[in-house]
Amino acid sequence: MSHPVTRFTAAALAAALGGTLLQTPAAAAGPAAPSASVTAVAPVLTAAAGTSGASAAAKPRFTASVRYDKYVRRGGYVTYRVKVTNKGGYRGQAYALLGGSFPSGTRRIKVVAKPRSISCKTRGRTLNCWITSLDDGDTTSVTVRAWLRPAKRGRYVPKFGVAYTADHDADRNRLFRAIRFKKLTGTRIL
């Protein structure tokens, strides 16, 4: 393909994916020392479930982005700051479920910061956060900390995702199964 056709195809693909190709992880400034705390940013996919009354033309767009440490020592912890945004196209009150699935080598998961309007549960290596106040254009964030086992070395790669609904009494287990999780680049355990 010629250069203008290639650029047009890339732009159309970026528009279709909601601009996720244009977002890049934050780059570290030079080589990092093993104890340096460098953060990375990763976009997370969304999934629709139980969106009664929403037409295809006015389909809501919920996005989530995750900031996390790029390096961590064995037996330490990784902090994830997940921002969920309602980009619009949804009339009325929107409810979202933020889900997280952590890999083996996770000792404990705890939500360390969140607004009062969000209720979170952790069970084993999974995270469920029910977000009830996400109107058109609103953004909210949840900070999660995952402690690692001391013997684990290599890459630590959790998955996050968001599903939304118009029903306040929706079955959260079914909604959790509807989430299309996206793997992060991962934290390197030294």
Side-chain angles (χ1 to χ4, degrees):
M1 282 195 272
S2 67
H3 184 67
V5 173
T6 305
R7 289 181 56 182
F8 178 76
T9 305
L13 182 61
L17 291 175
T20 57
L21 292 178
L22 302 177
Q23 299 173 357
T24 58
S35 63
S37 176
V38 180
T39 60
V41 178
V44 177
L45 293 178
T46 62
T51 56
S52 59
S55 66
K59 188 172 183 180
R61 291 184 8 193
F62 285 77
T63 60
S65 62
V66 182
R67 296 184 68 88
Y68 56 95
D69 301 327
K70 194 170 180 181
Y71 298 99
V72 68
R73 291 191 181 275
R74 287 187 293 162
Y77 60 85
V78 183
T79 304
Y80 298 93
R81 184 164 190 255
V82 185
K83 286 176 62 174
V84 179
T85 304
N86 181 354
K87 295 261 183 164
Y90 197 81
R91 291 184 180 167
Q93 185 70 31
Y95 304 98
L97 181 72
L98 170 67
S101 177
F102 294 84
S104 62
T106 304
R107 187 174 40 164
R108 181 177 151 203
I109 302 166
K110 183 177 180 183
V111 177
V112 293
K114 67 176 182 62
R116 275 191 274 164
S117 62
I118 298 176
S119 63
C120 292
K121 287 188 216 175
T122 59
R123 178 178 285 170
R125 296 186 326 227
T126 60
L127 167 75
N128 291 326
C129 288
W130 184 244
I131 303 169
T132 59
S133 61
L134 211 57
D135 292 330
D136 190 10
D138 285 350
T139 299
T140 189
S141 63
V142 177
T143 304
V144 180
R145 189 165 286 163
W147 281 267
L148 310 178
R149 296 193 190 280
K152 177 88 171 138
R153 210 174 211 170
R155 285 254 177 229
Y156 184 76
V157 185
K159 298 182 280 187
F160 288 97
V162 178
Y164 59 88
T165 184
D167 184 16
H168 176 68
D169 299 323
D171 183 13
R172 295 177 191 167
N173 291 329
R174 183 183 296 179
L175 205 56
F176 187 79
R177 289 189 298 267
I179 294 176
R180 292 185 331 198
F181 288 103
K182 170 117 171 92
K183 282 187 176 182
L184 302 178
T185 311
T187 299
R188 186 169 173 214
I189 302 171
L190 305 173

